[in-house]
Amino acid sequence: MALTHEHRPPNVEPDSSAAMQLVRRVADNIHSGRLPAKIFNEPGVYDLEKQNLFSKVWNFLAHESEIPKAGDYVIRTIADNSILVARDENGEIHAHLNMCRHRGNQMCKSSLGNASHFRCSYHGWVYKNNGDLVAVPYHKQGYGDNLNKADWGLVPVKIESYQGLIFGCLDDQVESLSDYLGGFEFYLDYYLKAGIDGVEVFGPPDVWESNCDWKLWAENSSGDGYHTPVTHQFGFHLGYFASSGATHSTGHAAHIAGKGHGIGLGETPGMPPFMGFPSDIVSELDESLTESQRQAFSPVRTAVGLVFPNLNFLSQPFSRIPGENGVRFCTMRQAQPLRAGRMRMTSWCLVPKSASQEFKEESYRAYTLAFGPGGMFEQDDMENFNNITHQLQGSAIRELDLPYVMGIDQQQVPDYPGPGHVVQPYMNDSNFRNLWSTWASYVSGDRATEATYDASEASK
């Protein structure tokens, strides 16, 4: 029997007004270091995120190295929209909604592949990989002159790129990608210019789902060094890390105020410059990075950063033989919300294009062991994130506030070579306050609220 509105259990329909009040509560209080626990697991908040956040921001779609040849394509997601990213026969990259314009059927059902054309499995409409509608069965008999194929191509999605990263946005009025990143490119280059030829994706992405609210993961991914000595304590004892618990907090936390992007740069005193890269790549970094970037990044052990709202990069050395210097790996990860309290993770391994095959394979093994879906540190994190997501559903717990006061009175680091708001040590809530303020400004539909955070940080 169909479930009528009268027979629905209570609280099935999200209360959008209550959710909006909750979001505004975040905007009003995060500058003083308080965050309501109720924003996690809240269906009304998730609906607002789909409408006001993911539909308005630049979302990572793919790396160009995933679709190197004409006809190559991948299927990606923006919120709950399936996106087809393809390189056409002339080498140009396009993104479209993955739906047939006739009745809305999913156009392409494979997650990746190569095709010059896509044919709908329902009525057989055919599109070129540039999105043009080129064939309609029984066109003359069924439509006569009443269907102009040029009007019914796949729906395009606006795209822009930076250093091989392809971003898409559902809002044609969005600011440029450069303005959106707001100077965070300085820090992205550490991951994307590892060598004179840049980086490439090594192997297919890993994909898994988790009962975790994506916002918990995003916060951690913008530079949470505080959890490492506890959550991953065994890594110190067994020699997997190039640091100790006593030195782990050394480093910097940086963010772009009002933009949400943030990075934690952990340093280990006495560590060789760019440790974990082979010597030839270290030499290439002298060419690919600017002097300011080399000054900022050469002492970095761990670099964990977030392109707002949900694209993370993590680079660090990892030793498969405890106690040795190990090999540096870089993972790029994206957490897509599936509903309130559940997300899908997609994880890639990035390697320098110019590196030897031996280093690429060793780096991939280190990535898999550390942060693949079965990786020892990934399992640690997801256990915590899943537990927190479940715990915050409690009727009493969800009404509490959480403290975000670490480093709230700290001054910026003077003369730091990189842009943004930079503080010490690496363990700090500064990036998180900026992330939550930016999140609230989008989800509330009022970007003016970002000024609340900017003014409060400038006064410290």
Side-chain angles (χ1 to χ4, degrees), residues 54-129:
F54 290 102
S55 295
K56 303 296 183 182
V57 301
W58 285 105
N59 298 264
F60 173 73
L61 292 177
H63 191 275
E64 290 180 2
S65 64
E66 295 184 88
I67 48 172
K69 303 188 298 294
D72 285 349
Y73 68 85
V74 293
I75 303 300
R76 297 290 150 79
T77 304
I78 297 179
D80 53 358
N81 299 283
S82 180
I83 310 295
L84 171 60
V85 184
R87 191 182 292 271
D88 70 18
E89 302 309 295
N90 297 316
E92 184 177 353
I93 296 174
H94 305 265
H96 296 91
L97 296 183
N98 186 24
M99 58 160 284
C100 179
R101 293 300 309 281
H102 181 228
R103 290 295 184 267
N105 189 29
Q106 182 178 346
M107 195 63 239
C108 180
K109 297 181 174 66
S110 177
S111 60
L112 55 85
N114 183 282
S116 60
H117 295 76
F118 300 98
R119 177 183 173 90
C120 177
S121 62
Y122 189 17
H123 292 100
W125 283 28
V126 178
Y127 302 83
K128 292 175 63 177
N129 53 19

Side-chain angles (χ1 to χ4, degrees), residues 376-396:
M376 59 181 73
F377 304 128
E378 189 68 44
Q379 290 188 67
D380 286 344
D381 287 333
M382 296 314 299
E383 170 68 17
N384 280 331
F385 298 154
N386 290 353
N387 182 56
I388 294 170
T389 300
H390 175 73
Q391 184 77 358
L392 294 182
Q393 295 174 8
S395 58

Side-chain angles (χ1 to χ4, degrees), residues 166-413:
I166 306 166
F167 291 84
C169 186
L170 301 178
D171 183 359
D172 285 337
Q173 303 305 311
V174 68
E175 62 187 327
S176 70
L177 179 61
S178 177
D179 288 344
Y180 181 78
L181 293 174
F184 198 63
E185 297 97 323
F186 178 94
Y187 300 103
L188 282 178
D189 286 351
Y190 177 66
Y191 307 107
L192 303 176
K193 292 186 177 181
I196 56 176
D197 296 326
V199 297
E200 63 184 358
V201 169
F202 192 83
D206 294 308
V207 182
W208 68 94
E209 295 184 8
S210 175
N211 290 321
C212 165
D213 193 290
W214 74 274
K215 297 184 288 298
L216 285 168
W217 173 89
E219 176 188 290
N220 178 279
S221 297
S222 64
D224 190 323
Y226 190 39
H227 79 291
T228 306
V230 179
T231 299
H232 310 305
Q233 187 179 84
F234 73 93
F236 296 103
H237 295 318
L238 297 182
Y240 289 115
F241 293 137
S243 64
S244 67
T247 62
H248 187 76
S249 65
T250 304
H252 299 82
H255 66 255
I256 307 300
K259 295 294 187 180
H261 319 305
I263 189 169
L265 300 169
E267 302 172 6
T268 296
M271 191 182 79
F274 299 109
M275 193 180 93
F277 282 119
S279 59
D280 56 335
I281 296 300
V282 173
S283 298
E284 290 184 12
L285 287 167
D286 287 337
E287 298 182 46
S288 62
L289 300 179
T290 67
E291 181 179 352
S292 294
Q293 288 173 323
R294 291 194 299 272
Q295 181 182 346
F297 302 141
S298 63
V300 167
R301 173 193 71 251
T302 300
V304 53
L306 182 82
V307 176
F308 182 83
N310 65 338
L311 178 66
N312 162 255
F313 294 85
L314 168 64
S315 172
Q316 69 178 55
F318 174 81
S319 177
R320 293 196 295 123
I321 302 175
E324 295 191 358
N325 285 341
V327 62
R328 183 168 291 271
F329 69 88
C330 179
T331 175
M332 177 176 67
R333 301 178 293 177
Q334 186 178 44
Q336 293 283 359
L338 299 176
R339 61 175 184 268
R342 188 166 178 83
M343 71 178 196
R344 175 182 295 122
M345 179 80 85
T346 306
S347 178
W348 300 259
C349 178
L350 298 180
V351 297
K353 286 183 182 179
S354 56
S356 67
Q357 184 68 15
E358 180 183 7
F359 173 79
K360 292 177 181 180
E361 291 175 356
E362 188 67 13
S363 182
Y364 183 78
R365 280 191 287 269
Y367 147 76
T368 301
L369 288 169
F371 283 100
M376 59 181 73
F377 304 128
E378 189 68 44
Q379 290 188 67
D380 286 344
D381 287 333
M382 296 314 299
E383 170 68 17
N384 280 331
F385 298 154
N386 290 353
N387 182 56
I388 294 170
T389 300
H390 175 73
Q391 184 77 358
L392 294 182
Q393 295 174 8
S395 58
I397 294 172
R398 60 194 272 106
E399 299 303 326
L400 301 175
D401 284 350
L402 306 175
Y404 283 73
V405 296
M406 187 184 294
I408 201 166
D409 294 322
Q410 287 179 323
Q411 299 293 326
Q412 294 192 54
V413 174

